[in-house]
Amino acid sequence: MAETTTDEDQGCNREAEPGPIAEPTQASEPNEPLMREVPQPPGGPRTVGLGRRVIGGLMSSLAQNAVARVLSLLNQLLLVLFLKPADFGLVGLTYSITAVATAAVNIGLDDVILQRRHALQLWAGSLFWISLALSTGAAIIVAAVSPIFAHIYDAPNIVGLTCLIAIQMPIGALSTVPATILRAQLRFSLLALYTGIELAAQVLMTVGLAWAGCGAWSLVIPLPVLVTVRAVIYWIIIGSIPLKPRVKRWRFLFRNASSSSVTRMLIALIAQGGYLILGLIADKSVVGIYYFAFRLSAQPLWVLAGNFANVLFPVFTRMNKDLDRQRSATLRAATNLSFLVMPLAFLQSAVAPSVMTLFFSQEWAPSIPIVQILSVGLAFDALSWIAETLLRSRGEFRRIMHYTLIQTPVFFLLITPGAWLGGATGTAVAVGAFYLITQPIFVCVTLRRLNLAPRDIIPLYVLPTLLSGIAFGLGYVASLPFSAPIAAAAVCTSVGCSLYAMLVAVFAPAAWSELRNVLAMISRLRS
């Protein structure tokens, strides 16, 4: 299931709970401003179509994804000059401890409140104080249990690393309200721009600290600084708003967010499961190899899918009264995402030997097959981000929790023997098998609520996979005669991308037309 971050439509069964947030019968302060008023242009406000706003958001997200990919590769390239696999392993083990607590804090209150975007001013104060209280409590718990895990993993430095990550939890909560308001305003371009700048700053700080000899600490020290700056800038952007606690309303939020909290903690267990199990079986160097490969493989795929989800959530909430329109939007988004993610995954897998041989020392060679396996396996998780976003937009948090409760034991039943028998590579195979098996089932079951049958969904997996495999498989074969890694990667990329475009145009004309429509709309937006 996607890693995260209603009222039912007509024709769908309504969940017994959680129900929608109960709206107050009367605003306590009806004249409270939500944010600063934006001056209108001459001639009245301009009306921007929802579709144009979505495409603009996706355009920004795609640009951010490209920037994130370049920065991620640059970051990894520079870090391996100063850090050892054991350093990455130590950080991976630390995140396996803090991730569950972070998920417990991020219980989805922002998503719940976005369902009532017109009443944001009535709920902003409650969201702020709940997030701050939960984050502070989680930070204290994480710091308290860190010595136990340091003893289990025989890694004393985990205590200090964990406490430093705990510090940034309550600081990060300060930006929850302004980030929610920016999402409600569909200001995706702004969010994407800031995320790109933040990633660049993180790379500079991390590499600088690694160069200074900080070791594993270089991956953690920038976090409190970055979340502090983010909170300050976001609040400057939205201006001052009332933040009264309104404690009596908290029960409405918790009623809706309880299922979301359980879901996010389970998803955190799945996301960190590889490190948890490997840390008990193998040494920190093996964990570091897996952590390094997973970051290289997952970040570009999940950034792309995550940006789709962030753009679509507020859009889906606006369509909850129009089932046909929501169905059409879901299918179009799934088609676009699938035909974008699969070629990216196969491209990563095909060029991994050349690129990693070119940029990384022999010490990191064991990570090459792990990158290849995870790149393809994780691609099958992409559409689940859209399916989960749809359920969240409709308030079906309990249904998501039920699906995750089923998937979690399946994950550990696969991952444990994989790690035991094959170490880091066996773990990667198990993770890929998990996403390949479970996520298409989850997507098909979820989208049945929009009257989309498996015959509508399965082709979105099969066809892009076949076309990508053929195109980049041939691209890889074409690159074999070239001994220079950079030449091999260039040939594989150019041949694979060209063949993929031609194959999609021939064998998936509807998807090709959809992608061309998106490009045409982007062109019109630019003009």
Side-chain angles (χ1 to χ4, degrees):
M1 185 176 295
E3 189 172 356
T4 59
T5 67
T6 111
D7 298 338
E8 300 283 353
D9 291 326
Q10 295 178 355
C12 297
N13 295 329
R14 183 182 180 85
E15 292 293 306
E17 67 175 277
I21 299 176
E23 297 286 2
T25 56
Q26 184 177 359
S28 302
E29 291 84 8
N31 294 322
E32 291 180 4
L34 176 59
M35 61 206 71
R36 294 172 181 163
E37 293 189 9
V38 179
Q40 302 295 344
R46 296 176 182 173
T47 302
V48 180
L50 185 58
R52 292 168 62 86
R53 297 290 292 274
V54 173
I55 295 300
L58 289 178
M59 180 180 173
S60 301
S61 298
L62 291 173
Q64 178 196 331
N65 181 65
V67 171
R69 181 55 174 151
V70 172
L71 290 176
S72 173
L73 180 60
L74 178 63
N75 192 37
Q76 299 293 79
L77 173 63
L78 295 175
L79 285 178
V80 297
L81 298 176
F82 310 110
L83 302 181
K84 300 296 183 182
D87 294 321
F88 285 95
L90 188 60
V91 174
L93 292 174
T94 302
Y95 279 127
S96 71
I97 301 167
T98 61
V100 177
T102 302
V105 171
N106 299 324
I107 60 177
L109 293 177
D110 51 343
D111 291 343
V112 174
I113 288 178
L114 273 175
Q115 292 178 275
R116 292 295 181 269
R117 63 187 185 281
H118 298 301
L120 267 176
Q121 65 174 354
L122 302 178
W123 300 97
S126 298
L127 174 61
F128 177 85
W129 291 107
I130 291 175
S131 299
L132 185 59
L134 290 176
S135 300
T136 304
I140 294 173
I141 294 173
V142 164
V145 302
S146 60
I148 299 175
F149 286 94
H151 176 72
I152 293 174
Y153 291 129
D154 190 23
N157 285 338
I158 283 181
V159 176
L161 293 170
T162 303
C163 291
L164 189 56
I165 294 177
I167 291 174
Q168 61 96 19
M169 290 182 180
I171 302 175
L174 299 177
S175 62
T176 301
V177 167
T180 302
I181 292 174
L182 292 173
R183 290 176 64 196
Q185 296 175 333
L186 305 183
R187 299 177 71 177
F188 307 121
S189 298
L190 174 62
L191 292 170
L193 174 62
Y194 183 80
T195 301
I197 295 173
E198 187 177 78
L199 285 172
Q202 184 174 7
V203 169
L204 291 174
M205 296 175 67
T206 301
V207 173
L209 290 167
W211 174 77
C214 294
W217 290 86
S218 60
L219 295 168
V220 177
I221 291 175
L223 299 180
V225 178
L226 293 173
V227 295
T228 301
V229 174
R230 182 197 308 159
V232 171
I233 292 178
Y234 277 13
W235 277 108
I236 291 174
I237 291 173
I238 70 160
S240 176
I241 63 172
L243 293 176
K244 294 183 178 180
R246 308 177 194 269
V247 178
K248 293 183 179 180
R249 298 177 183 171
W250 288 19
R251 67 182 187 276
F252 298 115
L253 294 176
F254 280 115
R255 186 183 68 183
N256 286 265
S258 57
S259 297
S260 180
S261 176
V262 174
T263 300
R264 295 192 181 209
M265 286 189 287
L266 292 174
I267 292 175
L269 279 175
I270 292 174
Q272 305 298 321
Y275 314 136
L276 286 169
I277 301 300
L278 274 178
L280 298 174
I281 297 174
D283 60 35
K284 290 188 285 296
S285 295
V286 175
V287 179
I289 290 292
Y290 180 79
Y291 177 79
F292 173 80
F294 193 94
R295 281 168 61 99
L296 278 179
S297 307
Q299 187 177 34
L301 298 174
W302 282 356
V303 166
L304 181 58
N307 281 324
F308 263 77
N310 288 335
V311 170
L312 289 172
F313 181 81
V315 175
F316 281 164
T317 59
R318 293 166 182 249
M319 297 179 178
N320 277 335
K321 301 301 182 183
D322 190 342
L323 184 62
D324 291 334
R325 192 179 177 203
Q326 196 173 64
R327 181 192 305 112
S328 176
T330 301
L331 192 57
R332 292 179 63 187
T335 300
N336 289 327
L337 180 58
S338 183
F339 278 88
L340 287 172
V341 163
M342 283 300 177
L344 175 60
F346 278 88
L347 173 61
Q348 283 189 171
S349 183
V351 302
S354 300
V355 172
M356 298 189 70
T357 300
L358 176 65
F359 291 113
F360 304 119
S361 66
Q362 190 64 28
E363 184 180 24
W364 299 96
S367 64
I368 293 176
I370 302 174
V371 170
Q372 291 179 298
I373 295 167
L374 289 175
S375 292
V376 176
L378 293 174
F380 288 87
D381 184 41
L383 294 190
S384 70
W385 289 69
I386 292 179
E388 186 182 350
T389 300
L390 175 68
L391 291 177
R392 288 191 292 115
S393 71
R394 295 157 66 91
E396 299 185 56
F397 303 108
R398 171 162 289 199
R399 188 176 297 277
I400 302 174
M401 182 185 69
H402 291 163
Y403 293 143
T404 314
L405 283 171
I406 295 172
Q407 292 180 359
T408 303
V410 173
F411 176 83
F412 283 98
L413 286 174
L414 290 171
I415 204 75
T416 302
W420 183 269
L421 297 174
T425 303
T427 302
V429 172
V431 169
F434 168 77
Y435 287 112
L436 174 64
I437 295 170
T438 62
Q439 299 314 293
I441 296 174
F442 167 68
V443 173
C444 288
V445 172
T446 299
L447 298 189
R448 285 179 59 187
R449 302 182 66 76
L450 291 179
N451 298 324
L452 290 171
R455 65 176 179 271
D456 301 315
I457 306 303
I458 296 302
L460 298 183
Y461 287 99
V462 175
L463 194 55
T465 302
L466 289 176
L467 299 182
S468 298
I470 293 171
F472 291 99
L474 292 175
Y476 176 75
V477 171
S479 70
L480 291 178
F482 296 87
S483 58
I486 191 169
V491 170
C492 181
T493 301
S494 58
V495 172
C497 291
S498 300
L499 287 176
Y500 180 75
M502 290 187 291
L503 289 172
V504 172
V506 174
F507 294 101
W512 179 249
S513 177
E514 182 66 29
L515 291 174
R516 289 183 62 185
N517 289 338
V518 171
L519 293 175
M521 187 172 292
I522 290 174
S523 177
R524 289 196 297 270
L525 283 173
R526 286 177 174 174
S527 63

